[in-house]
PDB file of all heavy atoms in Angstrom:
ATOM      1  N   PHE A  73     -14.668  22.369 -12.477  1.00  0.00           N
ATOM      2  CA  PHE A  73     -13.202  22.417 -12.599  1.00  0.00           C
ATOM      3  C   PHE A  73     -12.798  23.617 -13.460  1.00  0.00           C
ATOM      4  O   PHE A  73     -11.829  24.317 -13.143  1.00  0.00           O
ATOM      5  CB  PHE A  73     -12.650  21.108 -13.199  1.00  0.00           C
ATOM      6  CG  PHE A  73     -12.299  20.086 -12.141  1.00  0.00           C
ATOM      7  CD1 PHE A  73     -13.278  19.283 -11.575  1.00  0.00           C
ATOM      8  CD2 PHE A  73     -10.998  19.929 -11.692  1.00  0.00           C
ATOM      9  CE1 PHE A  73     -12.972  18.345 -10.583  1.00  0.00           C
ATOM     10  CE2 PHE A  73     -10.668  18.997 -10.706  1.00  0.00           C
ATOM     11  CZ  PHE A  73     -11.664  18.207 -10.153  1.00  0.00           C
ATOM     12  N   ARG A  74     -13.538  23.843 -14.562  1.00  0.00           N
ATOM     13  CA  ARG A  74     -13.198  24.978 -15.454  1.00  0.00           C
ATOM     14  C   ARG A  74     -13.287  26.299 -14.706  1.00  0.00           C
ATOM     15  O   ARG A  74     -12.449  27.170 -14.818  1.00  0.00           O
ATOM     16  CB  ARG A  74     -14.140  25.000 -16.661  1.00  0.00           C
ATOM     17  CG  ARG A  74     -13.523  24.360 -17.914  1.00  0.00           C
ATOM     18  CD  ARG A  74     -14.265  24.789 -19.173  1.00  0.00           C
ATOM     19  NE  ARG A  74     -15.703  24.558 -19.087  1.00  0.00           N
ATOM     20  CZ  ARG A  74     -16.299  23.404 -19.413  1.00  0.00           C
ATOM     21  NH1 ARG A  74     -15.583  22.387 -19.855  1.00  0.00           N
ATOM     22  NH2 ARG A  74     -17.604  23.267 -19.310  1.00  0.00           N
ATOM     23  N   GLN A  75     -14.351  26.378 -13.883  1.00  0.00           N
ATOM     24  CA  GLN A  75     -14.600  27.630 -13.145  1.00  0.00           C
ATOM     25  C   GLN A  75     -13.573  27.863 -12.042  1.00  0.00           C
ATOM     26  O   GLN A  75     -12.988  28.932 -11.924  1.00  0.00           O
ATOM     27  CB  GLN A  75     -15.955  27.502 -12.457  1.00  0.00           C
ATOM     28  CG  GLN A  75     -16.977  28.483 -12.917  1.00  0.00           C
ATOM     29  CD  GLN A  75     -18.304  28.112 -12.249  1.00  0.00           C
ATOM     30  OE1 GLN A  75     -18.352  27.788 -11.051  1.00  0.00           O
ATOM     31  NE2 GLN A  75     -19.355  28.158 -13.022  1.00  0.00           N
ATOM     32  N   LYS A  76     -13.379  26.821 -11.218  1.00  0.00           N
ATOM     33  CA  LYS A  76     -12.580  27.013 -10.006  1.00  0.00           C
ATOM     34  C   LYS A  76     -11.095  26.736 -10.196  1.00  0.00           C
ATOM     35  O   LYS A  76     -10.269  27.166  -9.393  1.00  0.00           O
ATOM     36  CB  LYS A  76     -13.107  26.109  -8.878  1.00  0.00           C
ATOM     37  CG  LYS A  76     -14.512  26.478  -8.463  1.00  0.00           C
ATOM     38  CD  LYS A  76     -14.872  25.792  -7.168  1.00  0.00           C
ATOM     39  CE  LYS A  76     -16.243  26.245  -6.696  1.00  0.00           C
ATOM     40  NZ  LYS A  76     -16.737  25.467  -5.583  1.00  0.00           N
ATOM     41  N   ALA A  77     -10.760  25.957 -11.226  1.00  0.00           N
ATOM     42  CA  ALA A  77      -9.342  25.605 -11.423  1.00  0.00           C
ATOM     43  C   ALA A  77      -8.990  25.715 -12.909  1.00  0.00           C
ATOM     44  O   ALA A  77      -8.640  24.730 -13.558  1.00  0.00           O
ATOM     45  CB  ALA A  77      -9.071  24.192 -10.914  1.00  0.00           C
ATOM     46  N   PRO A  78      -9.091  26.938 -13.451  1.00  0.00           N
ATOM     47  CA  PRO A  78      -8.915  27.092 -14.906  1.00  0.00           C
ATOM     48  C   PRO A  78      -7.505  26.739 -15.383  1.00  0.00           C
ATOM     49  O   PRO A  78      -7.314  26.438 -16.549  1.00  0.00           O
ATOM     50  CB  PRO A  78      -9.214  28.592 -15.143  1.00  0.00           C
ATOM     51  CG  PRO A  78      -9.070  29.246 -13.810  1.00  0.00           C
ATOM     52  CD  PRO A  78      -9.373  28.212 -12.774  1.00  0.00           C
ATOM     53  N   GLN A  79      -6.527  26.761 -14.480  1.00  0.00           N
ATOM     54  CA  GLN A  79      -5.140  26.470 -14.889  1.00  0.00           C
ATOM     55  C   GLN A  79      -4.900  24.970 -15.083  1.00  0.00           C
ATOM     56  O   GLN A  79      -3.884  24.565 -15.631  1.00  0.00           O
ATOM     57  CB  GLN A  79      -4.155  27.018 -13.842  1.00  0.00           C
ATOM     58  CG  GLN A  79      -4.061  26.232 -12.530  1.00  0.00           C
ATOM     59  CD  GLN A  79      -5.311  26.324 -11.634  1.00  0.00           C
ATOM     60  OE1 GLN A  79      -6.067  27.300 -11.685  1.00  0.00           O
ATOM     61  NE2 GLN A  79      -5.562  25.291 -10.853  1.00  0.00           N
ATOM     62  N   THR A  80      -5.850  24.131 -14.627  1.00  0.00           N
ATOM     63  CA  THR A  80      -5.638  22.673 -14.632  1.00  0.00           C
ATOM     64  C   THR A  80      -6.462  22.014 -15.723  1.00  0.00           C
ATOM     65  O   THR A  80      -7.640  22.333 -15.904  1.00  0.00           O
ATOM     66  CB  THR A  80      -6.030  22.093 -13.254  1.00  0.00           C
ATOM     67  OG1 THR A  80      -5.187  22.664 -12.267  1.00  0.00           O
ATOM     68  CG2 THR A  80      -5.894  20.579 -13.224  1.00  0.00           C
ATOM     69  N   GLU A  81      -5.825  21.076 -16.416  1.00  0.00           N
ATOM     70  CA  GLU A  81      -6.549  20.325 -17.431  1.00  0.00           C
ATOM     71  C   GLU A  81      -7.126  19.065 -16.786  1.00  0.00           C
ATOM     72  O   GLU A  81      -6.397  18.338 -16.107  1.00  0.00           O
ATOM     73  CB  GLU A  81      -5.584  19.948 -18.552  1.00  0.00           C
ATOM     74  CG  GLU A  81      -6.290  19.484 -19.801  1.00  0.00           C
ATOM     75  CD  GLU A  81      -5.311  19.242 -20.960  1.00  0.00           C
ATOM     76  OE1 GLU A  81      -4.289  19.969 -21.047  1.00  0.00           O
ATOM     77  OE2 GLU A  81      -5.554  18.308 -21.724  1.00  0.00           O
ATOM     78  N   LEU A  82      -8.411  18.818 -16.999  1.00  0.00           N
ATOM     79  CA  LEU A  82      -9.059  17.647 -16.407  1.00  0.00           C
ATOM     80  C   LEU A  82      -9.025  16.493 -17.406  1.00  0.00           C
ATOM     81  O   LEU A  82      -9.477  16.632 -18.540  1.00  0.00           O
ATOM     82  CB  LEU A  82     -10.504  18.000 -16.046  1.00  0.00           C
ATOM     83  CG  LEU A  82     -11.300  16.925 -15.312  1.00  0.00           C
ATOM     84  CD1 LEU A  82     -10.729  16.664 -13.917  1.00  0.00           C
ATOM     85  CD2 LEU A  82     -12.775  17.343 -15.205  1.00  0.00           C
ATOM     86  N   LEU A  83      -8.464  15.362 -16.991  1.00  0.00           N
ATOM     87  CA  LEU A  83      -8.412  14.176 -17.851  1.00  0.00           C
ATOM     88  C   LEU A  83      -9.266  13.080 -17.213  1.00  0.00           C
ATOM     89  O   LEU A  83      -9.364  13.010 -15.982  1.00  0.00           O
ATOM     90  CB  LEU A  83      -6.978  13.668 -18.000  1.00  0.00           C
ATOM     91  CG  LEU A  83      -5.923  14.650 -18.522  1.00  0.00           C
ATOM     92  CD1 LEU A  83      -4.551  13.994 -18.534  1.00  0.00           C
ATOM     93  CD2 LEU A  83      -6.297  15.159 -19.908  1.00  0.00           C
ATOM     94  N   ILE A  84      -9.817  12.208 -18.058  1.00  0.00           N
ATOM     95  CA  ILE A  84     -10.715  11.184 -17.530  1.00  0.00           C
ATOM     96  C   ILE A  84     -10.376   9.809 -18.106  1.00  0.00           C
ATOM     97  O   ILE A  84     -10.107   9.688 -19.303  1.00  0.00           O
ATOM     98  CB  ILE A  84     -12.187  11.552 -17.860  1.00  0.00           C
ATOM     99  CG1 ILE A  84     -12.524  12.864 -17.128  1.00  0.00           C
ATOM    100  CG2 ILE A  84     -13.156  10.461 -17.395  1.00  0.00           C
ATOM    101  CD1 ILE A  84     -13.624  13.629 -17.743  1.00  0.00           C
ATOM    102  N   GLY A  85     -10.375   8.813 -17.230  1.00  0.00           N
ATOM    103  CA  GLY A  85     -10.194   7.428 -17.680  1.00  0.00           C
ATOM    104  C   GLY A  85      -8.863   6.834 -17.242  1.00  0.00           C
ATOM    105  O   GLY A  85      -7.911   7.553 -16.962  1.00  0.00           O
ATOM    106  N   PRO A  86      -8.798   5.497 -17.185  1.00  0.00           N
ATOM    107  CA  PRO A  86      -7.605   4.806 -16.684  1.00  0.00           C
ATOM    108  C   PRO A  86      -6.320   5.116 -17.465  1.00  0.00           C
ATOM    109  O   PRO A  86      -5.237   5.166 -16.880  1.00  0.00           O
ATOM    110  CB  PRO A  86      -7.964   3.317 -16.808  1.00  0.00           C
ATOM    111  CG  PRO A  86      -9.428   3.260 -17.048  1.00  0.00           C
ATOM    112  CD  PRO A  86      -9.890   4.574 -17.526  1.00  0.00           C
ATOM    113  N   ASP A  87      -6.438   5.329 -18.784  1.00  0.00           N
ATOM    114  CA  ASP A  87      -5.214   5.610 -19.565  1.00  0.00           C
ATOM    115  C   ASP A  87      -4.547   6.915 -19.129  1.00  0.00           C
ATOM    116  O   ASP A  87      -3.327   7.060 -19.223  1.00  0.00           O
ATOM    117  CB  ASP A  87      -5.524   5.707 -21.063  1.00  0.00           C
ATOM    118  CG  ASP A  87      -5.909   4.341 -21.618  1.00  0.00           C
ATOM    119  OD1 ASP A  87      -5.687   3.334 -20.914  1.00  0.00           O
ATOM    120  OD2 ASP A  87      -6.446   4.301 -22.749  1.00  0.00           O
ATOM    121  N   ALA A  88      -5.366   7.839 -18.654  1.00  0.00           N
ATOM    122  CA  ALA A  88      -4.819   9.136 -18.223  1.00  0.00           C
ATOM    123  C   ALA A  88      -3.929   8.966 -16.984  1.00  0.00           C
ATOM    124  O   ALA A  88      -3.004   9.753 -16.757  1.00  0.00           O
ATOM    125  CB  ALA A  88      -5.953  10.112 -17.931  1.00  0.00           C
ATOM    126  N   LEU A  89      -4.181   7.902 -16.192  1.00  0.00           N
ATOM    127  CA  LEU A  89      -3.336   7.659 -15.016  1.00  0.00           C
ATOM    128  C   LEU A  89      -1.916   7.338 -15.461  1.00  0.00           C
ATOM    129  O   LEU A  89      -0.932   7.868 -14.932  1.00  0.00           O
ATOM    130  CB  LEU A  89      -3.882   6.481 -14.189  1.00  0.00           C
ATOM    131  CG  LEU A  89      -5.252   6.646 -13.537  1.00  0.00           C
ATOM    132  CD1 LEU A  89      -5.671   5.333 -12.874  1.00  0.00           C
ATOM    133  CD2 LEU A  89      -5.222   7.769 -12.507  1.00  0.00           C
TER     134      LEU A  89
END
Side-chain angles (χ1 to χ4, degrees):
F73 269 82
R74 261 198 307 273
Q75 243 174 43
K76 296 193 176 171
Q79 74 290 334
T80 298
E81 195 174 327
L82 185 66
L83 304 177
I84 296 156
D87 291 347
L89 295 175

